[in-house]
Structures are given as structure tokens and as C-alpha cells.
Amino acid sequence: MAIKRYTDNEYLGSEYSSSGKKYPNPFFDLAKNYIPKNIKTLFGYCRTFFYTNSFIRNVISKLTEYPITEILVDGKIQGATKDKWMNLINKQLRLKSFMIEIGLDYYTYGNAFISVQLTQKRFLTCTSCKVSSPIDNVAYKLKNFHFVGACPACQSGGIIFEIEDQTIKSAKNIKFVRWSPEHIDIDYNPITNDSEYYYSMPSSVKAKVLKGNKHILKSIPEVFLDSLRKKRKIVIDQDNFYHFKRPTLAEEDMGWGKPIILPALRSLYYLQTLKRGQEAIAVEHIVPKKAIYPANTTTLDPYTQMNLGKWRGKMEEQVKRWRNDPNHIGIFPIPIGYQELGGNARALMLTPEMKFLEEEVINSLGVPLEFVKGGSTFTSGSVSLRIVENAFLNYRELLLDFLNHFVVPKVRQYLNYPEVELRFKKFKMADDIQAKQIVMNLNTAGKISDSKMLEEFGYDYEKEATEINRTLKFQREAIIQDAKAQATGQGEATLVGARYQVRAQKALELETLKVQAEMFQEELQQELQGIPEEPYLIIDKYATEISVMAPEEQISYLQNIAKRMPTVATM
């Protein structure tokens, strides 16, 4: 696409006043003379600014990386199918990082071109014996972009080999390739809105092919060699080609997307002018120039009465000594004058103007200033955040279209994988607390499922359910073990308590008998008044007396003894 450089007359009419005198057009500035004439040159500008301008790189990196979340397989797909796709996405294709690389092209150039290919193993077929040999086993040279050499099978020399490429269908051999927009040409039809794409081989790759680089020759597609031999561009198969294109105006050439940096070019030119001026100011004025001179006095005019050449030599000698020894003290016969020139760079710096232009450039890139530099006003309630969030959501939809209508069909075509639908993990701005609280309330009220709530918070329901079951199982086992330990302890404590209870009962019985014996002795002493009889004889005497009494008399007699000697009555 050629970016037409319109004259001022074409844009705004004549530059001439009614008197015929020519005046400069007030709607244009010096920068308009340096706008690139074609889009390929513009791509070079954009690439340079991305690598050298800090805030442009910052803006593009954030626009590219922030909206990319984890790529997931549709929740309806489970088991081995899901595991196979997740392994391909995360370990083989590394689609998440590839999405970021696509975004760098998309926002820097305004275009991103993607194709898919399978790694091929190259064989060279002898035109004489028709035997195919791996290219690594053949001694060949490249002549007129043909493989020429000796056949290892029939030993014929000077054979022009035919190329035979065999595809290897496996997950690790499928590759998604990005193409530089600087080597793509688009033939756009504004009537039908159709485009044809052509690829021109980079000069660096062409040089390697001409030098016979083995690594390039054993993998470069045959169509590229034919293109070099015929000196023609390569027509790209649109069934194996995906074009990311930033929205543009309805204009003569809508085949190309326009870079996000394009509106900022004039401000960048002005900013670079200020930077060059500030650089010159810093170099010239940041370090003051020091000067010394002989001071004029009322009694001495050094310019007429002194040899100034000799004075200069002496002064240079003193300065040299002072630099070698900072403690050196110089002795001068006349007063010395001292003056500084420059050193006023701070007052001449253009920092405020440059800061204003930087903010203007950031705004021209279509993002709020807070998005780059941060700030307390950039919260979930601000309009700025909602504008950026909507832009991110639209960009994610574009990436999802690429994943589900290009990546998935190509993988199924080459690897025969089952059909799935890919999606991104839910995208939310970091401080969207209110929306998260609403989701929790809906789950509590039973209006949405636990799986839906966990998805809103960025968690995988299956993984969390598995972890919860594992945790519950561990807790149950811990409770059982604790209950067993408590029961064992209680049983042992009961046995020990019973053992000591029996011992206490025996000790109590012995103590009771001992007390009874002591009380018996005391009762006898009181009853018999010191009669020296054996206790058992006294008991036998009372028992003999009671045995010959009538039953009524026995009861009355025992009651009488119990009042006086309860222990004797018990015995």
C-alpha cells in the first residue's frame, strides 16, 4: 500500500491569498515532509520506535500481555481428549506465548500474518536410478537452485536430484509461523474486498541459500527455491494463512491494517527534535568551563608589566601540581582572577515540554495516561478503565476467532485430533471487586453453580473439587486416628483406675478391721474395768449366755450390749 503524500492544495485548497501572495499552510508542520511514502517504510519506523522508545514499547507490551489469560478447553470436554489438547496447547505449541508474539506484530505493525506447517524430512531422488536418499547422506551442491551431486546408490556423478519431502505427522512437528509484514505484498480489490497475498524472500535468507547453508537447504520448502530460480514472488495459499488486521477507514486501500503508532508520528518527530536539542544543551552546558586570569590592581597592570607567556606556564604548572596533589598550596605573586562559563544547563532543559509531548503521544496511541504511568484515579469505577477493558475484550474475541477457526481446524486436519472449542480464562480487571461480590451472592442464593463461580475467580472446578475431596479424606483419616488414640487412652485409664480402686478397697477393709480392733479394746476396758481376760473369751462368754436365751430376750440383750459396747455387739 502506498501512503499518498498529498499536497496542501489537495487537502485544504489553495495556499494563495486573494492578492496572489503565497503563505505557508497553517494546518501542516515540518513533520509532514517526513511521513513515510509507503507502508513498508512505515513498518521500519514502527519497528525502530518499538525498540528505542520506552513509553511506546511500554504501551504496546501492556496492550499485548495484559488481556492474555490461560487457554482452556471447553468444559464439556473431559478425560483423555482434554488432556491431549491441553498438552498440545501448553507444551507443544505454547499458544499463550505465541498469542503475545502475535499481539506485538498486531499493535506495532497493525498487521500479523500466521501460517501453519509440519516439519518435513527431505530426501533427494536420483534421476538415474530413482533411489531416494536422506539429504544428510548425499554429497551435493546447489547449482542454479538445483541439488547437484553424486548418488550414494548408483555412484553416478553430476546428478540433478529431485526433491522429495515427507511430512511427519506428530504433535511436536506442527509449527505456527509468523511472517514479517515487510516481506508481504497485498493485492487488494476494493470492489469485492478480496485480497491476494505474496511473499518475497528476505535478502538474508537468499544469501544463505546462495552460500549453500546446509541447515537452510535441508528444510526450506521447494517452492522457495523455485521462486528464487524464476525470480518471482510466492503466492500464499489463503487456506493456510491468517491475517490479523487492525481496523481502518474506508479508503482506496483497505488491504493493510494501520499501525497504532501512525497517529503519533508527528508528535514523535517533534519529541525527537526536543531530545536532540536537550542533548546538545547537556553536552555544551552541563559542565562549566573554568577560566583563570591575572587580576588587575591599582599598582600593577599585568597586561603591560608582566610576561604573560611565562605567567601562563607557571599557572599551568601549578594546576598540574594541584591535580597530582590536592593538598598542594600554590604561591602566586599577584592576585588571580577566576570565572566559570556555562553550567546553566538546568535552566535551559526542555523537560516540561518533553513530558507534555510524551503524554500527547500516549493519548494518540489510544490508551489513558494512567494505563502507562498508573495513578489513584485508575480504578474499577473510572471511565478510563472501562474503555481499556472493552478494547481488551474485542481483542480477545479476535484471538478466539483465530484459535477456533484456524488453529483447531489445522490441528484436526494434520493430527486427527477430536473437535473441541477453545476459550480464554475469564478476563477481569484486577480491582473488579463489586462484580466478584455479586457472583458470590448469586452462588449463595443458589442462582449459579459452584463451577461457574470458580470460573469467575479464575479457578478450575475439576481441580478444586479433586483437592477438596483429597483434603476431606485426609481430615476423615485424621479424625479416625484421633478417636482411636482417645479410646485407647480412656481404656488404659479405666484399667489403671479399677486397679487402684481394688487396692483402695482392700486398704479400706484392713483399716476398718484395725479401727474395729482398737474400738473393741477400748470398750472392753471400760466394761470390765481392768479384768485381765482375753477378748475372745469375753466374746465366747456373751455368745454362750445369749445362746440359751429365748429369741425375744436375745434381741433385748443384744440391744442393751449395743448401747454400751457397739463393737462387741457387732462381733
Side-chain angles (χ1 to χ4, degrees), residues 247-317:
T248 183
L249 293 175
E251 53 187 1
E252 182 179 354
D253 189 354
M254 295 184 290
W256 290 97
K258 303 307 183 290
I260 194 176
I261 304 174
L262 181 58
L265 285 181
R266 291 191 174 185
S267 297
L268 287 171
Y269 170 80
Y270 187 24
L271 179 60
Q272 290 300 114
T273 302
L274 295 184
K275 284 186 175 180
R276 289 195 301 270
Q278 181 149 295
E279 184 181 41
I281 291 172
V283 171
E284 182 68 23
H285 298 279
I286 196 69
V287 178
K289 280 72 176 175
K290 301 177 181 179
I292 56 177
Y293 56 90
N296 196 355
T297 64
T298 57
T299 59
L300 176 65
D301 183 5
Y303 302 102
T304 59
Q305 301 178 13
M306 290 184 58
N307 185 342
L308 294 181
K310 185 177 181 180
W311 178 87
R312 176 181 175 178
K314 293 292 184 181
M315 291 302 302
E316 290 177 347
E317 181 181 355

Side-chain angles (χ1 to χ4, degrees), residues 34-196:
Y34 299 95
I35 293 178
K37 296 181 180 180
N38 59 74
I39 200 165
K40 298 297 182 67
T41 305
L42 177 62
F43 289 156
Y45 278 44
C46 294
R47 183 180 65 253
T48 301
F49 282 126
F50 174 78
Y51 284 122
T52 60
N53 192 293
S54 59
F55 50 87
I56 284 184
R57 182 184 180 91
N58 193 11
V59 170
I60 292 177
S61 297
K62 288 186 177 181
L63 290 174
T64 299
E65 297 173 1
Y66 195 78
I68 302 299
T69 56
E70 183 181 355
I71 301 174
L72 303 175
V73 177
D74 192 341
K76 298 179 182 178
I77 306 298
Q78 302 295 336
T81 299
K82 181 177 180 180
D83 295 339
K84 180 185 290 188
W85 271 99
M86 292 304 295
N87 180 70
L88 178 71
I89 291 170
N90 297 320
K91 295 183 179 180
Q92 302 296 335
L93 300 180
R94 302 182 183 274
L95 280 182
K96 185 175 180 180
S97 60
F98 189 69
M99 294 293 100
I100 295 176
E101 293 173 349
I102 290 175
L104 293 178
D105 290 344
Y106 177 75
Y107 283 109
T108 302
Y109 298 119
N111 302 270
F113 301 98
I114 315 298
S115 67
V116 61
Q117 63 184 26
L118 281 172
T119 301
Q120 297 180 334
K121 187 173 182 180
R122 174 154 293 175
F123 292 83
L124 298 180
T125 302
C126 177
T127 54
S128 176
C129 65
K130 304 301 181 181
V131 175
S132 297
S133 304
I135 189 171
D136 293 331
N137 298 339
V138 179
Y140 64 87
K141 290 184 179 180
L142 193 69
K143 293 183 179 180
N144 194 25
F145 301 102
H146 289 289
F147 291 95
V148 179
C151 176
C154 64
Q155 304 300 321
S156 299
I159 298 296
I160 298 178
F161 293 97
E162 294 179 353
I163 298 175
E164 180 183 348
D165 292 332
Q166 298 180 4
T167 58
I168 306 173
K169 292 186 177 182
S170 65
K172 66 179 181 179
N173 289 323
I174 189 169
K175 308 291 183 184
F176 285 87
V177 181
R178 293 183 299 143
W179 301 95
S180 171
E182 296 178 81
H183 302 121
I184 299 289
D185 291 308
I186 301 178
D187 185 6
Y188 174 72
N189 186 343
I191 308 301
T192 62
N193 196 29
D194 292 328
S195 299
E196 287 188 354

